[in-house]
Amino acid sequence: MDRCKHGHFVCADTVLARAKEGGLRRTRALEAVVEALAEAGTPIPLNELEKKPSVAGVCDRTTLFRLLNRLGEHGLVRRLGLHKRAAYFTLAMPGGHHDYLICRECGSVEILEVECPVQELEKEVAKVSGYTDLYHELEIYGLCPNCHG
Amino acid sequence: MDRCKHGHFVCADTVLARAKEGGLRRTRALEAVVEALAEAGTPIPLNELEKKPSVAGVCDRTTLFRLLNRLGEHGLVRRLGLHKRAAYFTLAMPGGHHDYLICRECGSVEILEVECPVQELEKEVAKVSGYTDLYHELEIYGLCPNCHG
DNA sequence: GTATGTGCAAAGTATTTGCCCCAGA
DNA sequence: TCTGGGGCAAATACTTTGCACATAC
């Protein structure tokens, strides 16, 4: 998986540029959220995001929510279930996606760096089902080395 | 995918039997939840479950929660994210699972009756990652025929 | 200047817990 | 009888909304 010059999966600058194209204003809060998400790399819930140095003190939780939603509508952020009580957010890359390996005990989330086998299936489903604009979400759950006794 | 004599994906009786083996008592509420889940077939949130004829009036919402959690611990029920605000529950079959096709507009949930391409990946991840007791969850999101204009 | 973005507080909705009574084995 | 199950109500947690003010463009 390619990474930007900072070693992140998705480059904050790219996202900000695309956000502007989408009509979003470049505010302090927007920059902060995007940067925090880029640094995080893996999906992160709102209450974690709040604590990130780039975000803490910069903007309110409500603003975070609204920004994440807006970014989501523009396809720049993806919202994940991950079986947690809270929603998890991560920067979405154009045309790309990640699959995750999650420990159901401690909740750790790792990015699966493998060839995703679902692309083909997705195309077939697109043909057969009548659904359009498909994307998928794949998570593998298990017990991580630290959690299985 | 095989179905039981009632045409359900998972037979309520089988689940009840396995629940008893697991040490759960056979209560009215337990029977009701399992039956309702079997009838539903597709994943269903708690507030829907409450309204099902087999459940309505039989037991309290709290009891439903506790039962679903207990059944989940015994591997008899699976809890899904599905990007809804509420968790979705469905009967789990031993060694089996379903993938879903979900409309992100109207929220409809269909079971994908296809060969799941993730089994292989799952095995490989088991070998490489050090994680154990793996299972996966795959959802394809899109716009259903009714929702794309 | 104007439309969009933001903070604060308050309202929802989903989920969980405590406590005590009830019922299955 | 004895332990796990259930009901009710209250507590938590997460998310969303309203409204008045601030700010990007």
Side-chain angles (χ1 to χ4, degrees), chain A residues 3-59:
Chain A
R3 310 206 181 201
C4 79
K5 59 186 171 180
H6 303 104
H8 301 146
F9 285 113
V10 181
C11 184
D13 293 338
T14 309
V15 175
L16 287 170
R18 300 221 296 142
K20 179 177 288 185
E21 283 171 31
L24 298 194
R25 290 184 180 175
R26 177 141 185 169
T27 63
R28 199 167 253 291
L30 179 66
E31 287 171 352
V33 191
V34 171
E35 187 175 334
L37 286 171
E39 276 169 11
T42 57
I44 178 177
L46 211 113
N47 59 343
E48 295 281 337
L49 212 45
E50 272 189 315
K51 297 177 203 153
K52 288 270 173 188
S54 0
V55 167
V58 172
C59 75

Side-chain angles (χ1 to χ4, degrees), chain B residues 61-77:
Chain B
R61 182 180 310 159
T62 309
T63 300
L64 280 181
F65 258 110
R66 290 196 270 227
L67 280 176
L68 290 166
N69 285 163
R70 253 173 253 161
L71 289 166
E73 286 163 11
H74 289 261
L76 297 170
V77 157

Side-chain angles (χ1 to χ4, degrees), chain A residues 14-144:
Chain A
T14 309
V15 175
L16 287 170
R18 300 221 296 142
K20 179 177 288 185
E21 283 171 31
L24 298 194
R25 290 184 180 175
R26 177 141 185 169
T27 63
R28 199 167 253 291
L30 179 66
E31 287 171 352
V33 191
V34 171
E35 187 175 334
L37 286 171
E39 276 169 11
T42 57
I44 178 177
L46 211 113
N47 59 343
E48 295 281 337
L49 212 45
E50 272 189 315
K51 297 177 203 153
K52 288 270 173 188
S54 0
V55 167
V58 172
C59 75
D60 186 82
R61 182 180 310 161
T62 309
T63 300
L64 280 182
F65 259 111
R66 290 195 271 227
L67 280 176
L68 289 166
N69 285 164
R70 253 174 253 161
L71 289 165
E73 287 163 11
H74 289 261
L76 298 171
V77 157
R78 188 162 286 185
R79 182 186 203 128
L80 303 167
L82 303 194
H83 283 200
K84 315 283 188 136
R85 182 103 159 260
Y88 275 57
F89 299 89
T90 193
L91 289 181
M93 43 225 126
H97 85 293
H98 280 132
D99 304 315
Y100 301 98
L101 178 58
I102 302 163
C103 177
R104 64 166 172 276
E105 191 64 28
C106 70
S108 74
V109 177
E110 289 181 33
I111 293 180
L112 271 181
E113 306 236 25
V114 295
E115 197 54 41
C116 175
V118 184
Q119 304 298 351
E120 285 307 313
L121 174 61
E122 194 175 299
K123 282 178 202 153
E124 190 185 320
V125 169
K127 265 191 295 190
V128 181
S129 67
Y131 278 57
T132 58
D133 296 300
L134 298 186
Y135 69 90
H136 68 268
E137 200 171 301
L138 170 61
E139 292 119 34
I140 299 187
Y141 293 88
L143 295 174
C144 78

Side-chain angles (χ1 to χ4, degrees), chain B residues 3-142:
Chain B
R3 309 207 180 200
C4 78
K5 58 186 171 180
H6 303 105
H8 301 146
F9 284 113
V10 182
C11 184
D13 293 339
T14 309
V15 175
L16 287 171
R18 299 222 296 142
K20 179 177 289 184
E21 283 172 31
L24 298 194
R25 290 186 181 174
R26 176 140 185 169
T27 63
R28 201 167 253 290
L30 180 66
E31 287 170 353
V33 191
V34 171
E35 187 175 335
L37 286 172
E39 276 169 11
T42 57
I44 177 177
L46 210 115
N47 60 343
E48 295 281 337
L49 212 45
E50 272 191 314
K51 296 178 206 154
K52 286 272 173 187
S54 358
V55 168
V58 173
C59 75
D60 187 81
R61 182 180 310 159
T62 309
T63 300
L64 280 181
F65 258 110
R66 290 196 270 227
L67 280 176
L68 290 166
N69 285 163
R70 253 173 253 161
L71 289 166
E73 286 163 11
H74 289 261
L76 297 170
V77 157
R78 189 162 286 187
R79 184 187 202 128
L80 304 167
L82 303 193
H83 281 200
K84 314 284 189 134
R85 182 104 159 259
Y88 275 57
F89 300 90
T90 193
L91 289 181
M93 44 225 127
H97 84 292
H98 281 132
D99 304 314
Y100 301 98
L101 178 57
I102 301 163
C103 178
R104 65 167 172 274
E105 190 66 27
C106 68
S108 74
V109 177
E110 289 182 33
I111 293 180
L112 271 181
E113 308 235 23
V114 295
E115 196 54 40
C116 175
V118 183
Q119 303 299 351
E120 284 309 311
L121 173 61
E122 193 176 297
K123 281 178 203 153
E124 189 184 322
V125 170
K127 264 191 296 191
V128 182
S129 67
Y131 277 57
T132 58
D133 295 299
L134 298 186
Y135 69 89
H136 68 268
E137 199 172 300
L138 170 61
E139 291 118 35
I140 299 187
Y141 294 89

